Amino acid sequence: MSPQPWFKPPWPEKTGRRALLTGITGQDGSYLAEFLMSKGYEVWGIVRRSSSINTWRIDHLYEPPWVEDKRLSLVYGDLNDASSLNRVLKVVRPNEIYNLGAQSHVKVSFEIPEYTAEVAGVGVVRLLEAMRELGLDARFYQASSSELFGKVEESPQTEATPFYPRSPYAAAKAYAFYITRNYREAYDMFAVNGILFNHESPRRGETFVTRKITMAAARIKAGQQDCLFLGNLDAKRDWGFAGDFVEAMWLMMQADKPEDFVIATGETHSVREFCELAFARINLPLTWRGEGLDEEGVDSDGRTLVRVDPRYFRPTEVDFLLGDSSKARKKLGWKPETTFSGLVEMMIDEDNEAL
Ligand code: NAP
Ligand code: GDD
């Protein structure tokens, strides 16, 4: 299924600005590409070669090569391959670069820590160096993460909260955060970190917990699956809607001076609560019984629909995240539009309809 556009064409006039996105085939890349095109940008996206086509999130934006005045173009490249990044920057010469590409799965980063460090960490300095060597006068956005706060030292977390990474992914993102800040200070580049808390959507990757829940709930309702196996039900996250969050990325890049910003909703909810809302929305309200590994979510007929499987636990967990985005609200005029229950409903409704 092609994703529904989040904004409404027809396209406005071009602004004359050109944006380059890494990670354009991912959740955020697809929403940001739509957003920038709706603002009249010419958008270029770096894609990795894959044996199977993985552009489903941006298929609805695709324009064939012979279209005059193309607004979206894709080029091959990889954050692990400096020569491809140099070549793309030389050809495209963007005004704004949004670095969204990463091995972004925290649990997977424990299995492939070195690769994660290469893409999510060293990949950033490859891009920044390519900009510097070319003398490219472009603004740079780095997709930093609330995972940096990890084992949180204070709540809510702000731009001033110390980092305590709890995974190879977060450690790689810490390097990325500091190298972005260093290039800003050392070379006077417009390079910013958006420290984004979790943001979800119907386009969320299927192995992240929110989408795993909404897809499984829809399948259980349709009789295509019996039970959903999850890890830590107590984990709490500050979950927002990706469509709201990409606007904050753009606003940071339009500011008078480069600064880092926390982007969050200011509410936190547990994985258990997310399950409750998702199942209730499709008329399968859950009650919980048992504790620890024996805890289960049961429907009104006594069927067990949710169980705990320790295989989904992480060697070191981030138990609790709650962001304070006052700085972004004040300086950028940004605020999220979608509520937590609105987000869960949007996701479960789309997964339910897609079956
Ligand atoms: P996502 O859906 O996992 O997308 C990741 C993107 O990175 C995909 O387009 C992927 O390409 C691309 N990619 C992976 N390895 C690459 C490589 N070696 N070279 C070039 N591109 C590569 O992630 P997302 O949720 O959109 O997140 C976007 C960014 O924000 C990531 O950097 C993530 O770490 C960060 N972030 C996300 C959140 C969140 O809650 N979503 C919060 C804070 C920060 P393929 O399609 O080919 O795999
Ligand atoms: N994925 C997953 N699968 N997570 C589970 C499961 C499960 O079956 N059961 C419980 N969880 C818990 C995880 O242990 C974690 O505490 C929480 O649900 C959220 O997990 P994910 O949805 O995988 O997201 P994340 O918070 O680890 O990472 C996401 O958000 C970060 C921002 O804070 C990713 O998008 C990262 O790229 C991003 O930086």
Side-chain angles (χ1 to χ4, degrees):
M1 189 188 67
S2 278
Q4 293 303 305
W6 162 66
F7 70 94
K8 300 276 175 277
W11 309 116
E13 287 306 304
K14 276 191 179 180
T15 58
R17 294 190 74 73
R18 189 176 299 154
L20 175 71
L21 277 57
T22 68
I24 194 168
T25 52
Q27 170 189 259
D28 291 7
S30 68
Y31 282 104
L32 183 63
E34 279 180 9
F35 178 82
L36 293 173
M37 288 166 83
S38 77
K39 292 242 168 249
Y41 277 70
E42 181 186 330
V43 173
W44 288 69
I46 293 184
V47 293
R48 305 192 283 171
R49 143 79 185 146
S50 161
S51 64
S52 43
I53 293 172
N54 65 351
T55 52
W56 64 272
R57 291 188 180 96
I58 50 169
D59 280 348
H60 59 294
L61 303 174
Y62 178 75
E63 294 165 326
W66 53 85
V67 165
E68 251 180 65
D69 220 13
K70 248 164 84 74
R71 288 166 189 277
L72 175 69
S73 304
L74 301 180
V75 279
Y76 282 115
D78 196 304
L79 283 161
N80 273 348
D81 175 16
S83 61
S84 69
L85 300 176
N86 279 298
R87 178 181 49 80
V88 171
L89 289 199
K90 222 181 217 166
V91 171
V92 177
R93 299 202 78 87
N95 309 103
E96 294 174 16
I97 299 175
Y98 294 85
N99 183 36
L100 310 181
Q103 190 302 93
S104 74
H105 202 286
V106 174
K107 174 80 165 33
V108 173
S109 77
F110 288 96
E111 314 295 322
I112 46 170
E114 187 182 332
Y115 175 77
T116 303
E118 280 293 339
V119 183
V122 183
V124 182
V125 81
R126 290 193 187 102
L127 256 181
L128 289 165
E129 268 301 278
M131 288 173 71
R132 200 168 72 85
E133 278 172 24
L134 270 178
L136 191 69
D137 183 18
R139 294 184 170 206
F140 180 84
Y141 173 87
Q142 168 55 22
S144 285
S145 166
S146 52
E147 278 291 302
L148 292 168
F149 300 121
K151 194 171 178 200
V152 296
E153 301 215 339
E154 65 178 9
S155 281
Q157 295 86 52
T158 70
E159 292 80 4
T161 303
F163 294 158
Y164 193 146
R166 292 275 279 174
S167 64
Y169 166 83
K173 284 284 184 182
Y175 173 76
F177 175 92
Y178 286 119
I179 200 70
T180 300
R181 184 177 274 186
N182 178 248
Y183 270 55
R184 176 165 85 219
E185 293 172 357
Y187 305 118
D188 205 17
M189 286 168 67
F190 193 108
V192 298
N193 286 287
I195 308 171
L196 270 54
F197 282 64
N198 296 52
H199 44 279
E200 318 292 314
S201 74
R203 298 182 202 167
R204 184 58 143 151
E206 297 174 7
T207 59
F208 296 96
V209 76
T210 55
R211 188 79 198 290
K212 182 172 165 184
I213 294 168
T214 58
M215 287 182 67
R219 284 205 200 107
I220 290 171
K221 176 78 181 173
Q224 296 176 8
Q225 185 174 329
D226 296 326
C227 187
L228 163 65
F229 292 87
L230 291 172
N232 181 8
L233 298 173
D234 292 318
K236 288 187 129 184
R237 289 291 182 275
D238 180 329
W239 276 300
F241 170 50
D244 291 342
F245 280 40
V246 296
E247 185 187 10
M249 297 177 186
W250 177 76
L251 286 168
M252 269 176 238
M253 293 282 267
Q254 313 313 309
D256 291 336
K257 59 178 184 142
E259 285 184 82
D260 304 328
F261 288 92
V262 159
I263 302 298
T265 69
E267 270 185 42
T268 189
H269 299 275
S270 66
V271 171
R272 193 181 289 100
E273 280 174 82
F274 196 104
C275 283
E276 285 167 7
L277 281 189
F279 280 85
R281 176 76 177 171
I282 49 169
N283 298 320
L284 288 174
L286 292 176
T287 50
W288 300 95
R289 67 183 182 202
E291 273 178 36
L293 292 180
D294 296 324
E295 183 168 0
E296 45 189 34
V298 185
D299 74 2
S300 52
D301 296 331
R303 280 190 308 160
T304 300
L305 304 187
V306 183
R307 281 185 201 278
V308 175
D309 184 336
R311 276 178 304 181
Y312 296 111
F313 292 165
R314 295 164 183 197
T316 39
E317 172 68 299
V318 172
D319 295 309
F320 178 92
L321 291 173
L322 173 64
D324 174 353
S325 57
S326 305
K327 180 180 171 189
R329 290 174 196 235
K330 193 163 156 228
K331 289 196 168 180
L332 303 176
W334 176 85
K335 64 176 175 45
E337 299 296 333
T338 311
T339 61
F340 176 64
S341 59
L343 172 68
V344 180
E345 286 168 15
M346 180 197 316
M347 293 178 70
I348 183 81
D349 289 354
E350 262 204 55
D351 280 330
N352 208 23
E353 272 168 35
L355 285 180

